[in-house]
Amino acid sequence: MLKIFLHQLNIIWSQIVSLWLVFLHLFHKSDTVEYPDVKPHMFPRWRGRIILTRDPDGEERCVACNLCAVACPVDCIALQKTEDEDGRWYPEFFRINFSRCIMCGFCEEACPTHAIQLTPDFEMAEYVRQDMVWEKEHMLIDGTGKYHDYNFYKVAGKAIGGKGKGEALDELPPTDRRSLMP
Amino acid sequence: MVKITVDGKVLEVDESKNLLEEILSQGEDLPYFCWHPSMGSVGSCRQCAVIEYANDEDERGRLNMACMTAPREGARYSIEKAAKFRAQAIESIMINHPHDCPVCEEGGECHLQDMTVMSGHNYRRYDGKKKTHTNQYLGPFIGHEMNRCITCYRCVRFYKDYAGGTDFGPQASHDNTYFGRWQEGPLESEFSGNLAEVCPTGVFTDKPFSKHYVRKWDLQTAPSLCAGCSVGCNTNPGERYGTLRRVVNRFNDEVNGYFLCDRGRFGTGYVNSDERITVSMTRSAHDAAPHLASTDEARSQLQAMAANSIGIGSPRASLEANFALRELVGAENFYAGISTNELAMSRQILDIYRSRPVNIANIKDIEASDAVLILGEDVTNTAARLALALRQSVRNLGKKMARDMKFPEWQDAAIRQLTMDRKSPLYILSAHATRLDDIAARVKIGTAANSARLGFAIAHEIDSSAPAVNGLSADEKELVTTIASALKEASQPLIISGTGAMSQALIAAAANIATALNGADKKANLALVSAEANSMGLALLMESSDNSLDQAMASNAKAAIVLENDLYRRAPASSVDSFINGLDQLAVLDSLKTRTGEQANLVLAAGTFAETSGTFVNYEVRAQHYYSVFKPVDTIRSSAFWLSDKKLSELTQGCADSISGGAGIATLTPGEGFSVSGMKVPRQQHRYSGRTAMRANINVHEPKQEQDEEGILTYSMEGVSALKDATVFNTAWAGGWNSNQSVFKFQSHTGAALKQATKGHCLVENSVSEKTWSEVTDAEKVTGDFEVFPLYHLFGSEELTANTEAIKAKATSAYIAINEADASKLGLQASDGVSVEHNGAVPYIIRSSIAPGTVGIPVGLKGLNFRDLPAAISLQKATDWATPSEWHAANIIVSDKTSVNAENGGEA
Ligand code: SF4
Ligand code: SF4
Ligand code: SF4
Ligand code: SF4
Ligand code: FES
């Protein structure tokens, strides 16, 4: 009997405590953010809308290597390699189906050129699902994004317009194939 | 077999093979670069290092290259203990390696990437400067990126040593070592494409593929066949976004081994060409305006006309499609779609294979032959893969010398040193110099009729019961006895001939020689090359019928259904014209636009080999199945679909039932119920990317996956890829082995047959021992100034592949080839053209090997139709002459070209 009584008392007490704590909140600073009037602060590493960036020379960074596409767990990236007359690879088209994308950031991790980057922009709702299919022209920005200095073609051995054989970082001039000297 | 211990595991291995090959065969992983199962060992890359212990007490052991080690009974080896050495070896290989993987066509199927990962070198310590190299332009087929070279020497060993190429080799030394041509320009070898597969890095890559490059894992692939000639090489074509991207070799030890020719590898671009028929069209009369026909409409129109039609089949259509047409119109109304002579030759070949005591030679037999006679067939241009095999056959003398000295066959460099330029005998009787002359002991130039005469004489010389030939000159007698005794002495003699020279006498002579060689303990190898991918399949359907195209055209038919056949390539244009003009209805099923198709009033859009499944029968009468690689647009259907309501498997069964000895045709696939772990085999690999985005631009809602009517493979990633099960071998991949080197994981023993896959089914089982002979036929007298003989071009003579951009870049328009004396008799100056009796004018080239009074006319090249010409023609210097824009003399790769005409023709 006594046990039941004490139990009931305990319940009532806990409710009083709860009410008191709620009452105290009247005097706290509000946590609610008045979105969309007030925008939250997003950190640069947040994984939102995906962009394609340019290298420090202003050229498209993406070399159409397909690594982001293969890393994507939902397979929502499709692209096709093409090249310019000087041999520089770039994507002929580059498409992300954002209605499938889970913002995991694997593509960014896989990208050897820092071309594809996730940004803190999360406002991606659309009324029509078809509008969530983005092409290169929708994603390609003018800047370098989060990584300012890297320029893949300056490191790679492949010659492109403006950079011949032996002109990449840490390269010797091309060898002479007619020479028999070691 | 000997017992060895590798890292404590006891293995039973073959002591005649090298240790690397044996370790791999046991399913172990051991990195390597320079060794190749078809090319043996040279021990140059230092990657396959193992530790070999002297005895049980030896703790330290010594470092040996597994590929240069013969396994010793009871010996102890360790793979593990040499791991550090291998990591160092690869680190030094990688010092100069460019940072190229993302922009390298090899990436994702790179043997160097795989071996680097496998060796555990994963962090770059070297921060000095890298050596660099310039690249060369090597023609339309092969890209060059020398920076990526690891100097394993595989390319040279393939190109020069294995394929006999002369325009490519190593240059400079040490860090400067360079692999390329003596000067920029197209690679001359007909097998250059194999460099892309042989080179373990991205130095040599498939150039047409690079133009629309995707990674290996993004290709939808299936086991397929090359439709380029009668060899029937096994391939794995790959598709992406609805277009065919490339073709790679699919290993079949009896048909093509590890290699393809360049026609097969680079000749499939026509599948994506603008010349494709993509919709079915119909019109009420020849001259009425055509309009689109829906699938149902087109099909019912075809069915409606079938009752009163004749059907014209094709040696380039599948067995099933030809069979379906025969069923549709009735056997008596079914015609072969090739000339009377060609039909007779194919049936003659079947008859010889069945009735003579010979062994029908597959590629392994050819490679093992120790004396060869080629009778009038320009194998390099009509059945190229066999020419590559013939190059190996002449090495049998060297291999025998090595065996006698007790040195293993895989010691490639050593055997080449030992042999120098000694070769097993190979004789060629031909109307012109060929690309195999450099390995020939003797070459005898003569017309097909004369080669046949000598052939009959050789048979008689070997076995006097064979019919004799009279009136041989002393020189001819000497040649006949030389060849006869070389063939008699050989333990595995081989006779090669075929339909290329268009002479039944020549084929009969080849059969007589092979028959004559039959002895108590040996059977001669005989290979008779046929004209097209399914020539022998068509012959099997025509065994009891003489209906040729010539007869079809004389049949007074009012309606005709033409299956995948451009009649203008098969008969003189004038006869085809009058045949078509006499028709009320002409239906054409084809994949490409043709002159025949243009005149049809019903055109049905047919799928190519890549979009359909079916059976081809190769020159050995080996039936092989090809699976569709991808589904084309809905309006394109297989010819078999247009012609029949039956399922493909029912048609295949029908072929098996109606062809004598054809039961094997129905056993080529594992059948509809086939599964691996309860699931079908996916055409798309487990890494296939972009599934939910590739069609999202059209509609974000993904469509249902395409269904496969054969029920073996799926058009999706669903199912278990047949990893390590090669029943349906759609791509070479194994864990850690992303490149084509992974094939060994699917082989019963490294370099030997695939574990499960069918090698196809030879439909002729020959156990004849009785000798029968063909009679010597007197050559018909040809009258005219110049006797015509056909010339073939690997690039351009085959109808479909000629519609591929890369092939066009290596082809030329038509020309004539004559002897210098004849050219000056005709008064030809360097830039003149020659007018060919009633057939307009073409450029000419002078070839020193060609006999006076004969003229070589290329088959199938644009600008002159071989079939329009009589057996002998008159030639004249052309007046009013301008060189055709597609004339590219530089693309004619022959050794005896002394001068060529025409400004844009390029150098001699
Ligand atoms: S991984 Fe980077 S460079 Fe490669 S395709 Fe994707 S975005 Fe382009
Ligand atoms: S050859 Fe292989 S390792 Fe070298 S760049 Fe190409 S993919 Fe990378
Ligand atoms: S080019 Fe390729 S095959 Fe030739 S040596 Fe270099 S890496 Fe080896
Ligand atoms: S030899 Fe014939 S079947 Fe083989 S790849 Fe060449 S064209 Fe194709
Ligand atoms: S594979 Fe043995 S040394 Fe190259």
Side-chain angles (χ1 to χ4, degrees), chain B residues 573-736:
Chain B
S574 53
S575 12
V576 180
D577 277 338
S578 68
F579 167 61
I580 291 181
N581 289 337
L583 292 173
D584 295 333
Q585 278 179 308
L586 171 64
V588 170
L589 300 89
D590 217 334
S591 53
L592 291 176
K593 292 171 192 157
T594 62
R595 195 164 155 199
T596 310
E598 269 166 24
Q599 305 184 57
N601 53 329
L602 176 62
V603 173
L604 298 108
T608 60
F609 80 97
E611 298 141 336
T612 62
S613 303
T615 308
F616 282 152
V617 183
N618 84 346
Y619 76 95
E620 318 158 61
V621 204
R622 178 194 301 263
Q624 303 189 93
H625 186 82
Y626 59 95
Y627 295 84
S628 68
V629 178
F630 67 106
K631 271 245 156 126
V633 289
D634 206 43
T635 47
I636 297 178
R637 299 300 178 98
S638 72
S639 293
F641 168 89
W642 292 121
L643 292 166
S644 170
D645 291 333
K646 290 191 180 146
K647 282 190 0 190
L648 182 73
S649 56
E650 292 168 333
L651 290 172
T652 313
Q653 188 61 53
C655 297
D657 295 340
S658 72
I659 288 171
S660 79
I665 300 171
T667 65
L668 299 170
T669 71
E672 200 166 341
F674 178 73
S675 66
V676 178
S677 309
M679 294 177 94
K680 297 192 190 312
V681 180
R683 283 180 174 80
Q684 300 165 1
Q685 295 306 297
H686 56 300
R687 287 177 183 155
Y688 194 79
S689 79
R691 192 172 37 95
T692 64
M694 53 203 297
R695 287 181 216 85
N697 56 329
I698 304 163
N699 189 342
V700 71
H701 303 284
E702 287 126 33
K704 188 166 164 266
Q705 297 290 359
E706 297 281 7
Q707 294 303 301
D708 177 284
E709 60 287 338
E710 277 190 289
I712 299 166
L713 291 144
T714 62
Y715 290 108
S716 71
M717 298 164 72
E718 290 162 66
V720 182
S721 354
L723 301 181
K724 298 191 192 177
D725 176 323
T727 313
V728 191
F729 192 54
N730 60 352
T731 195
W733 185 89

Side-chain angles (χ1 to χ4, degrees), chain A residues 79 81 100 165 172 177, chain B residues 130 145 171 210 241 702:
Chain A
L79 65 144
K81 172 255 168 184
R100 287 285 192 185
K165 279 274 156 345
L172 294 167
R177 67 191 176 91
Chain B
K130 295 177 185 178
E145 189 61 46
Q171 293 155 41
S210 179
Y241 303 135
E702 287 126 33

Side-chain angles (χ1 to χ4, degrees), chain B residues 126-177:
Chain B
Y126 175 78
D127 55 7
K129 294 200 182 289
K130 295 177 185 178
K131 291 263 176 187
T132 61
H133 305 272
T134 49
N135 301 328
Q136 286 181 324
Y137 167 77
L138 296 176
F141 292 157
I142 290 292
H144 193 213
E145 189 61 46
M146 250 318 283
N147 279 354
R148 300 171 188 155
C149 178
I150 58 167
T151 55
C152 69
Y153 279 75
R154 260 187 172 196
C155 51
V156 189
R157 295 181 55 227
F158 174 77
Y159 197 93
K160 282 180 75 176
D161 298 352
Y162 195 88
T166 52
D167 59 329
F168 172 93
Q171 293 155 41
S173 69
H174 196 248
D175 270 0
N176 300 350
T177 313

Side-chain angles (χ1 to χ4, degrees), chain B residues 453-464:
Chain B
R453 202 170 65 94
L454 294 175
F456 283 119
I458 294 168
H460 177 75
E461 178 72 23
I462 296 168
D463 182 338
S464 54

Side-chain angles (χ1 to χ4, degrees), chain B residues 829-847:
Chain B
Q829 299 298 315
S831 57
D832 284 340
V834 178
S835 49
V836 181
E837 201 176 310
H838 311 305
N839 279 283
V842 290
Y844 74 97
I845 69 170
I846 291 175
R847 292 186 59 180

